[in-house]
Amino acid sequence: MRQFEREKKSTRDAYGNAVHELAKQDPTVIGIGADTTNNIGLKGMAKEFPDRVINVGIAEQNMMGTAAGLAATGFKVFGGSFGPFVAMRSLEQFRTFIAYPHLNVKMAGGMGGLSAANEGVTHQCPEDMAIMRTIPGNIVVYPADMASCDVIVKKLSTIPGPAYIRLGKFPFLKVFDENYTFEPGKANLLEDGTDLTLIACGTTITRCLQAKDVLAEEGISARVLDMSCIKPLDENAVLAAAKETGAIVTVEEGTILGGLGSAVAEVLVEQALVPMQRVGVRDVFTESGDHDPLMDKYGLSVADIVSAAKAVLARK
Amino acid sequence: MLTKKEIKELNIFACEIRKATFSAIHGAGRGHIGGAMSMVEALAVLYGKEMKIDPKEPRMPERDRFVLSKGHCGPSLYATLAVKGFFPREALPTMNHGGTILPSHVDRLKTPGIDFSAGSLGTGISVAVGSALGAKVKGLDYRTYCIVGDGECDEGQVWEAAMFAASKKLDNLVVLVDYNKQQLDGWTKDVCDLGDIGAKFSQFGWNTVEVDGHNVSAIYDALEAARACKGQPTAIILDTVKGKGCSYAEKAGLCHHLDMTDEQFAQETALQDARIDALRKEED
């Protein structure tokens, strides 16, 4: 089973650095946070462009409205706070004042998924991707590592309208390099296979690649898709996986209610019914702990993925 | 200070706005008459005198910006824009009907002259803050105006925005609070007493002016004072009567949302025509 190296910094740093680089090229790029500008990696940008990093204080709802006002007057806004305060506390403001008028605001949910780890349920947000997916026109993405985060943020800067980017807290495992490609609504075929497809998003990519290795030892050939962008969803990649491999397992660091697994299931049930299983956090509140052990505890270990793969194969 | 002639013209403009508002609300059969009426003089001064706008070029880059935070009162803003010529007056009776360019709550993607979508209460002030902040960052001299309802000051976000605007010294921002003393469930003092709303803004670091919200001259003077004030945003507390200028709404007392029959429409329109005639007879 292959292993991955831990990165030195987190996707929060990658996000802030990417926005900083964009700001050097484009005077309309502006950052905003709710006492979270350092936390989402905007410290360097604030140093060089103090006028273009706005800190509204601990007031996420006002942050969303202010971001809307800035965007409506011509700025490309990159903001963020912690996952639950973006995807929950100020969700209505994001939906009604940013997404509905289709304003150019990208919001990051720092410490998304289970990555708030030891902070516990108040700061964890396994629901963020599912919630943000319900908003029309919103792009929802979970970068797996620093290199892909950089590519994703820079690509998003060329697309007007809203987006939600889930960021981690501590460094992730490195899986991609600067050659990563990102297009909203386009999955990356990471490794091909014939017996089933593992569809992964963000931090579950490394685990799916490891599960592929374990399955291979037992003579099972798994395709692995990088579906870090869950909205818009690459329906063609899902349908091709159904047709060509005949079974699908989705693996997401988040609730299985409404996120990646639900999105894939919606496509399959309407267009190509094949055996499918969702791997993710069940309908429970999680607990405090380190990020990776928490993922293991709540059903996202490599063994869980392998077991789900065998279960769908048995239903083929 | 306004001249006597300007005061007369703005009062006539206010009557025209009321008439056009009736046309929109009558077309819908019912609407937020109370709050639409109470802010008419403020709209007349903003769109008739104060703001830099061009109906032929609604998105003119150097225009002043306006946010209607109490977005449910769109009818009198639509009326103002129609009278100014942003879009044909014939659109007014289509308000709230399927396919209209005039939805119940204001929408920047549907209506010429609407800069910001709004209507979910307590949030428009933040959008106005973003607009004013954007002007400061870009070094532009447009100003941002925002009408906030008194009832929506129950929302905590209003005070998040108020604290932040003062902290950023947004002297290019004017918030006009339509203090008509009513909200959906009744009188504001009974639902959630606002106390001294002007003192609250002052405490949050704002330059605060309290005026008769149906006196165009007083409103204009307050806007001039706002322009002269450096380093602070200005809150103008408009002491208003909910339903002002719609006789049956004023008589009703609580008048947040009312029907408008054909007879009521004819009667109220005639009353405004009579007022316009009387105003025209006044000496300049």
Side-chain angles (χ1 to χ4, degrees), chain B residues 5 34 70 85 115 119 131 135 137-138 142 235 237 240-241 255 276:
Chain B
K5 183 166 187 282
K70 40 180 271 178
D115 278 327
S131 170
V137 173
K138 283 185 173 169
Y142 70 80
I237 314 301
T240 57
V241 175
C255 58
I276 290 171

Side-chain angles (χ1 to χ4, degrees), chain A residues 51-52 54-56 59 61-62 65-66 69-70 72-75 92-93 97 100-101 103, chain B residues 65 107-109 116-118 120 123 126-127 130-131 133-134 137-138 142 157 160-161 164:
Chain A
D51 292 344
R52 284 201 278 147
I54 309 297
N55 193 341
V56 300
Q61 300 167 95
N62 186 42
T66 303
L70 287 164
T73 49
F75 286 96
E92 191 227 354
Q93 286 81 354
F97 291 87
Y100 171 44
L103 290 169
Chain B
R65 268 51 169 199
D107 183 337
R108 73 188 290 268
L109 299 180
F116 304 95
S117 305
S120 158
T123 47
S126 296
V127 179
S131 170
L133 184 62
V137 173
K138 283 185 173 169
Y142 70 80
Q157 189 181 340
E160 292 180 4
F164 180 62

Side-chain angles (χ1 to χ4, degrees), chain A residues 160-189:
Chain A
Y164 176 76
I165 304 149
R166 183 203 266 182
L167 303 175
K169 182 180 183 187
F170 297 114
F172 287 165
L173 298 173
K174 180 172 175 59
V175 57
F176 297 118
D177 61 24
E178 67 278 8
N179 297 316
Y180 185 78
T181 58
F182 175 74
E183 193 70 49
K186 196 92 187 73
N188 288 314
L189 173 61

Side-chain angles (χ1 to χ4, degrees), chain B residues 137-187:
Chain B
V137 173
K138 283 185 173 169
L140 301 176
D141 65 358
Y142 70 80
R143 293 173 68 74
T144 300
Y145 301 87
C146 176
I147 296 186
V148 173
D150 52 357
E152 67 175 310
C153 292
D154 294 353
E155 293 273 8
Q157 189 181 340
V158 169
W159 304 101
E160 292 180 4
M163 200 187 312
F164 180 62
S167 153
K168 293 290 159 190
K169 303 184 183 355
L170 298 181
D171 51 15
N172 54 354
L173 172 66
V174 180
V175 166
L176 302 100
V177 180
D178 184 2
Y179 183 45
N180 62 28
K181 303 155 206 76
Q182 289 184 27
Q183 57 197 105
L184 183 58
D185 258 357
W187 299 96

Side-chain angles (χ1 to χ4, degrees), chain A residues 1-314:
Chain A
M1 184 171 85
R2 75 191 91 181
Q3 297 298 321
F4 298 88
E5 269 183 42
R6 185 71 58 187
E7 296 191 304
K8 297 278 187 289
K9 290 184 172 180
S10 75
T11 50
R12 294 187 293 169
D13 299 299
Y15 176 76
N17 289 341
V19 176
H20 186 186
E21 284 178 29
L22 291 166
K24 289 177 200 252
Q25 312 293 325
D26 181 349
T28 69
V29 168
I30 197 162
I32 191 166
D35 202 26
T36 49
T37 54
N38 292 341
N39 203 284
I40 57 171
L42 293 173
K43 200 170 189 173
M45 178 173 162
K47 201 170 172 193
E48 186 173 353
F49 305 109
D51 292 344
R52 284 201 278 147
V53 175
I54 309 297
N55 193 341
V56 300
I58 310 170
E60 296 79 12
Q61 300 167 95
N62 186 42
M63 171 181 74
M64 291 296 182
T66 303
L70 287 164
T73 49
F75 286 96
K76 290 176 189 161
V77 186
F78 289 85
S81 176
F82 304 152
F85 315 135
V86 171
M88 292 177 175
R89 184 173 304 185
S90 53
L91 175 66
E92 191 227 354
Q93 286 81 354
F94 180 83
R95 165 195 174 266
T96 304
F97 291 87
I98 291 171
Y100 171 44
H102 202 66
L103 290 169
N104 201 353
V105 177
K106 320 300 180 200
M107 273 294 162
M111 308 207 292
L114 297 178
S115 72
N118 310 83
E119 309 280 354
V121 168
T122 54
H123 287 61
Q124 293 167 354
C125 200
E127 307 93 338
D128 55 350
M129 306 281 280
I131 292 169
M132 293 312 254
R133 194 170 78 85
T134 63
I135 296 174
N138 195 23
I139 297 172
V140 183
V141 59
Y142 184 18
D145 63 5
M146 292 184 75
S148 57
C149 186
D150 185 71
V151 170
I152 288 167
V153 171
K154 286 173 181 168
K155 180 69 188 183
L156 288 175
S157 76
T158 68
I159 303 167
Y164 176 76
I165 304 149
R166 183 203 266 182
L167 303 175
K169 182 180 183 187
F170 297 114
F172 287 165
L173 298 173
K174 180 172 175 59
V175 57
F176 297 118
D177 61 24
E178 67 278 8
N179 297 316
Y180 185 78
T181 58
F182 175 74
E183 193 70 49
K186 196 92 187 73
N188 288 314
L189 173 61
L190 299 181
E191 292 185 14
D192 211 351
T194 52
D195 296 326
L196 83 157
T197 300
L198 303 173
I199 302 183
C201 170
T203 48
T204 62
I205 290 172
T206 52
R207 288 168 181 243
C208 283
L209 290 168
Q210 289 174 325
K212 176 187 167 78
D213 293 346
V214 175
L215 290 165
E217 285 167 18
E218 300 183 35
I220 300 167
S221 163
R223 175 182 294 186
V224 180
L225 283 183
D226 160 21
M227 195 71 82
S228 293
C229 178
I230 69 160
K231 186 175 185 176
L233 187 79
D234 188 345
E235 294 194 7
N236 290 333
V238 173
L239 292 172
K243 189 177 169 200
E244 291 158 18
T245 70
I248 289 176
V249 173
T250 57
V251 189
E252 61 197 305
E253 183 197 337
T255 174
I256 54 165
L257 305 176
L260 169 70
S262 296
V264 169
E266 287 157 17
V267 173
L268 294 180
V269 90
E270 287 183 347
Q271 301 181 59
L273 211 50
V274 296
M276 180 204 157
Q277 190 155 328
R278 295 166 298 158
V279 172
V281 178
R282 315 306 289 187
D283 190 17
V284 293
F285 284 111
T286 47
E287 63 184 32
S288 297
D290 290 334
H291 188 190
D292 284 285
L294 270 183
M295 287 179 67
D296 292 340
K297 174 160 185 170
Y298 288 97
L300 285 153
S301 69
V302 172
D304 289 321
I305 300 168
V306 168
S307 156
K310 289 181 182 168
V312 286
L313 284 176

